[in-house]
């Protein structure tokens, strides 16, 4: 790292960040965690003001000035830098034919994904503005998933709009200080890791097999077997009514249904699969407005008994979810 770079904070990684870093180190050519959003803006767009607003957004949120250090350290660290330039690139495509514009945009998106991110050096978020016409623009917004999850995108869009409009209209910029992601990391460090390990060890006790989905295999001549597809309409209103009646979440209903399907496919009565949770603990002040990576994947176990009713199974599945929080 450049010795002239000023560091404001150092902290460990969240568990999901550690997992993403591991996958990055195992395969640096992978695009698995390169997130890319494409948006169309119709109307006037001040490109210089857009870039200035992005600079202010990066100044506002520590996580957008963060890099990840993993060499010559005892454990990986996320490093918040005092300053970090926002990367905003503008290309004017208005002189191109529409077909040429479409081809250019698709090529740019591929090139952007192929560029990837160096977690220890790069600015881990970048934006391209491709102007199709004076009143039409394509915005390509890319970032590495190790920075943040989907919830955070809405927070950033909201604050970017506030900043852009304030600069455009000559109004004061937002002067509130957003909660820092490092506050969440500190909260994580204060939790009883042994208690958590004991909970999950007991939750997964005696589980030894792997639940898998059937795959379509080729026949003896190398041709793929044709699959039969059927469409069903799921009555979500009825499912919500069932969930309310049994005092379980709709997620528990769907998770249980998926678990029962896996049981049938694997000819077992006990399966475990991963489920993504938001991971934003209410105990952390300002957690709903915090920008960072909070999601986690936890095991979900669906174990059914032969004489157990669906109602009993749903309530049993719901119970560990409540305990683990």
């Amino acid at each position: 790292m450049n010795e002239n770079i000023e560091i404001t904070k150092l902290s460990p990684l969240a568990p999901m960040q550690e997992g993403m870093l591991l996958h990055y180190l195992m395969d640096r050519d992978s695009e698995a965690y390169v997130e890319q959003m494409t948006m169309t803006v119709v109307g006037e767009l001040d490109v210089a003001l857009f870039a200035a607003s992005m600079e202010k957004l990066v100044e506002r949120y520590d996580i957008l000035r963060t890099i990840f250090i993993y060499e010559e350290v005892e454990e990986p660290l996320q490093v918040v830098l005092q300053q970090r330039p926002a990367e905003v690139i503008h290309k004017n495509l208005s002189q191109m034919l529409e077909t040429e514009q479409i081809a250019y945009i698709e090529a740019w998106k591929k090139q952007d994904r192929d560029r990837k991110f160096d977690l220890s050096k790069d600015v881990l978020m970048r934006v391209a503005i491709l102007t199709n016409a004076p009143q039409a623009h394509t915005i390509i917004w890319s970032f590495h998933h190790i920075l943040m999850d989907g919830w955070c995108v809405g927070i950033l869009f909201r604050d970017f709009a506030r900043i852009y409009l304030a600069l455009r209209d000559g109004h004061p910029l937002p002067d509130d200080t957003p909660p820092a992601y490092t506050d969440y990391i500190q909260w994580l460090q204060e939790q009883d890791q042994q208690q958590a390990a004991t909970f999950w060890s007991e939750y997964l006790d005696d589980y030894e097999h792997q639940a898998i989905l059937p795959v379509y295999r080729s026949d003896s001549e190398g041709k793929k077997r044709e699959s039969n597809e059927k469409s069903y309409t799921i009555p979500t209103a009825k499912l919500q009514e069932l969930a309310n009646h049994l005092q379980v979440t709709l997620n528990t209903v769907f998770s249980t249904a998926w678990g029962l399907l896996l049981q049938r496919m694997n000819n077992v009565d006990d399966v475990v699969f991963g489920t993504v949770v938001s991971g934003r603990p209410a105990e952390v002040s300002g957690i709903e407005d915090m920008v960072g990576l909070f999601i986690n994947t936890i095991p979900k176990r669906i174990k059914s008994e032969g004489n157990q009713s669906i109602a009993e199974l749903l309530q049993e599945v719901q119970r560990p979810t409540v305990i683990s929080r």
Side-chain angles (χ1 to χ4, degrees), residues 55-154:
E55 290 283 356
K56 294 297 183 183
L57 191 71
V58 172
E59 290 176 13
R60 180 171 170 79
Y61 286 98
D62 288 353
I63 195 67
L64 302 183
R65 304 191 310 277
T66 297
I67 57 176
F68 296 83
I69 303 301
Y70 44 82
E71 295 179 341
E72 299 181 1
V73 290
E74 291 185 4
E75 63 179 50
L77 295 170
Q78 48 188 323
V79 181
V80 179
L81 306 180
Q82 177 67 34
Q83 295 181 327
R84 199 70 165 150
E87 182 175 327
V88 180
I89 298 174
H90 176 234
K91 298 290 183 180
N92 190 342
L93 314 184
S94 59
Q95 301 303 313
M96 295 182 180
L97 298 174
E98 183 178 355
T99 54
E100 294 175 328
Q101 289 181 358
I102 293 172
Y104 188 97
I105 291 169
E106 290 305 311
W108 184 280
K109 289 163 63 176
K110 182 181 185 305
Q111 170 190 311
D112 178 68
R113 294 189 66 85
D114 289 344
R115 181 180 164 191
K116 307 178 186 67
F117 292 97
D118 184 329
L119 298 186
S120 66
K121 298 177 182 179
D122 289 349
V123 176
L124 300 181
M125 183 181 73
R126 53 182 179 249
V127 180
I129 305 171
L130 308 181
T131 297
N132 307 87
Q135 299 288 316
H137 311 267
T138 298
I139 310 294
I140 301 172
W141 191 318
S142 303
F143 63 91
H144 197 284
H145 202 352
I146 199 170
L147 286 188
M148 57 186 171
D149 51 42
W151 182 314
C152 302
V153 173

Side-chain angles (χ1 to χ4, degrees), residues 79 123 134 174-175 259 296 321:
V79 181
V123 176
D175 59 359
N296 208 345
T321 304

Side-chain angles (χ1 to χ4, degrees), residues 2-291:
N2 191 321
E3 294 180 357
N4 296 323
I5 294 178
E6 187 174 350
I7 296 172
T8 62
K9 296 176 184 177
L10 292 170
S11 71
L13 277 60
M16 184 61 83
Q17 287 180 313
E18 291 179 342
M20 290 185 183
L21 176 60
L22 176 62
H23 283 281
Y24 166 80
L25 294 175
M26 291 174 62
D27 183 5
R28 300 197 188 203
D29 291 330
S30 173
E31 300 176 3
Y33 296 113
V34 177
E35 301 296 317
Q36 186 183 78
M37 298 174 291
T38 304
M39 297 158 281
T40 300
V41 176
V42 178
E44 183 179 353
L45 180 67
D46 188 319
V47 174
L49 207 58
F50 188 106
S53 301
M54 189 61 64
E55 290 283 356
K56 294 297 183 183
L57 191 71
V58 172
E59 290 176 13
R60 180 171 170 79
Y61 286 98
D62 288 353
I63 195 67
L64 302 183
R65 304 191 310 277
T66 297
I67 57 176
F68 296 83
I69 303 301
Y70 44 82
E71 295 179 341
E72 299 181 1
V73 290
E74 291 185 4
E75 63 179 50
L77 295 170
Q78 48 188 323
V79 181
V80 179
L81 306 180
Q82 177 67 34
Q83 295 181 327
R84 199 70 165 150
E87 182 175 327
V88 180
I89 298 174
H90 176 234
K91 298 290 183 180
N92 190 342
L93 314 184
S94 59
Q95 301 303 313
M96 295 182 180
L97 298 174
E98 183 178 355
T99 54
E100 294 175 328
Q101 289 181 358
I102 293 172
Y104 188 97
I105 291 169
E106 290 305 311
W108 184 280
K109 289 163 63 176
K110 182 181 185 305
Q111 170 190 311
D112 178 68
R113 294 189 66 85
D114 289 344
R115 181 180 164 191
K116 307 178 186 67
F117 292 97
D118 184 329
L119 298 186
S120 66
K121 298 177 182 179
D122 289 349
V123 176
L124 300 181
M125 183 181 73
R126 53 182 179 249
V127 180
I129 305 171
L130 308 181
T131 297
N132 307 87
Q135 299 288 316
H137 311 267
T138 298
I139 310 294
I140 301 172
W141 191 318
S142 303
F143 63 91
H144 197 284
H145 202 352
I146 199 170
L147 286 188
M148 57 186 171
D149 51 42
W151 182 314
C152 302
V153 173
I155 298 173
L156 292 183
F157 280 0
R158 178 200 66 195
D159 277 7
F160 176 82
R162 290 169 61 198
I163 294 168
Y164 182 90
L165 293 175
L167 291 176
R168 186 196 66 180
D169 299 336
H171 294 160
L173 292 171
D175 59 359
D176 57 311
T177 301
Y181 182 60
T182 48
D183 291 346
Y184 166 71
I185 298 297
Q186 181 179 349
W187 177 87
L188 278 180
Q189 298 296 305
E190 294 170 353
Q191 303 311 298
D192 189 334
Q193 302 300 320
Q194 184 56 51
Q195 182 182 29
T198 299
F199 171 82
W200 290 114
S201 178
E202 293 175 352
Y203 182 70
L204 298 173
D205 187 39
D206 296 332
Y207 188 80
E208 298 178 351
H209 56 270
Q210 181 181 9
I212 60 173
L213 288 171
V215 296
Y216 293 112
R217 303 183 183 278
S218 300
D219 60 21
S220 58
E221 298 179 358
K223 298 179 181 178
K224 287 188 176 180
R225 298 174 182 172
E226 294 186 5
S227 61
N228 295 319
E229 296 183 3
K230 294 183 179 180
S231 298
Y232 297 93
T233 299
I234 300 177
T236 52
K238 289 291 185 180
L239 293 178
Q240 186 64 67
E241 183 180 331
L242 173 65
N244 294 341
H245 176 70
L246 297 175
Q247 296 184 321
V248 300
T249 65
L250 189 59
N251 180 65
T252 292
V253 175
F254 277 104
S255 296
T256 303
W258 178 246
L260 290 173
L261 180 63
L262 286 177
Q263 287 182 10
R264 177 67 62 88
M265 289 181 170
N266 289 269
N267 196 30
V268 295
D269 59 8
D270 187 10
V271 295
V272 172
F273 56 91
T275 182
V276 177
V277 294
S278 65
R280 289 180 180 256
E283 301 93 314
V284 180
S285 177
I287 192 69
E288 291 187 356
D289 293 316
M290 204 172 281
V291 175

